[in-house]
Amino acid sequence: MKIAILASNRKPIPSPKDLIFAPGVIIYELVEGLVRKGHDVTLFAPEGTKTTAKLITAGTKSLYEDFSDNQNFAKKRASNIEEYLLKDVQYELLMASTAFEYIKKNKFDIVHSHKTLHEIYFSKLIDTPCLFTFHDISKREIPNDISLRRLKKYTKTAYFVSISDSQRHGLEFLNFVDTVYNGVKIEDFKFSNGDKNLLFVGRIDISKGADTAVKLALETKRPLLIVGDVAYNSPGLKIFNKIKKHIDNERIKYLGHVQFDKIKDIYKQAKVLLFPIQQSDSFGLVMIEAMACGTPVIAFNLGSVPEIIKNGQTGFICPVGDTNAMIKAIRKIYEMTESEYQKMRQNCRQHVEENFTIEKMVDGYEKVYEKVIRDWKSKNIH
């Protein structure tokens, strides 16, 4: 197949080491996997992108590189939010227009966009089926009625794929073709026997639950390691100030940002990953990254959690907001015999190998492409 894949103009593909950007990792691995399978892939992404596919840029570096200017990106964006939002629209429209002008002049079997905000407006202007993957969006995150009407307008001529079934809640009116779960490059995550500490990996903001993780560590008297950037907005800073008083680098340690190639070792050394999210996550890549190393996950029953964790086998799923249930789950893991605990770690690794690898993800998208192309031809849209 001849496939056009559209990435955001915000960040290079793959993400730089000082930035955690899950969609960038997923897009990179998808493109490389499709190329390995012999497909003719063109990737539309910023300058500086690394790929074995044909690369088309809009003639600019990423917004991340332009806007951060060797400063902390999150801090600068938070303190200059109006300037950032204006530039963001300009960068994304430049990429979208560049991509669709090229696609209109060159024959493709399918267009796969990993963002929808601007690209969907262009989808009716070409005689090629357009597929959209939602990486972050859910009904809760659609900002206003205009955005909702925009999606409804294009639902009959565009195709959509979700990264979890839960992501579709409230968006059932869209033309979803299938769900394709994110995957990890399993060989990069080494299985281990684990260690003694609790682990929290995620952005320090109101939605991820870092403060809840600290509360759980204090209640269970277990050491906690926190990894993640602070969201430099009012809620994020409030959460960080709340947990900062407990950081003593003994019982509660905070590492801040950790590069992706080093965080894998941190997953290996953890007893359990805490995922006490306060709002639904579209997927939650950290869960499968931890389980790939054998580390079980304890999470609130929100969003994709019940699709990823096998309750009692690869971790525990707790009622939303029920910290007492989480405390019981933590104690249950620490009270396991060594053989019981190692069995759970083996279950985690096997679960990822069977359901959440890059190969399985690439195969899933390949099947979706074939389904979309068949449907497009049968309907003869346009």
Side-chain angles (χ1 to χ4, degrees), residues 68-79:
S68 58
D69 191 27
N70 295 320
Q71 299 180 40
N72 182 293
F73 176 70
K75 279 186 178 180
K76 187 174 181 183
R77 180 177 60 182
S79 59

Side-chain angles (χ1 to χ4, degrees), residues 164 166 275 277 281-283 287 297-310 316-318:
S164 66
S166 68
F275 196 67
I277 52 173
D281 247 16
S282 300
F283 187 77
M287 289 190 284
V297 183
I298 298 175
F300 285 140
N301 190 11
L302 274 170
S304 63
V305 164
E307 298 175 57
I308 295 175
I309 299 173
K310 295 177 75 173
F316 294 100
I317 300 173
C318 302

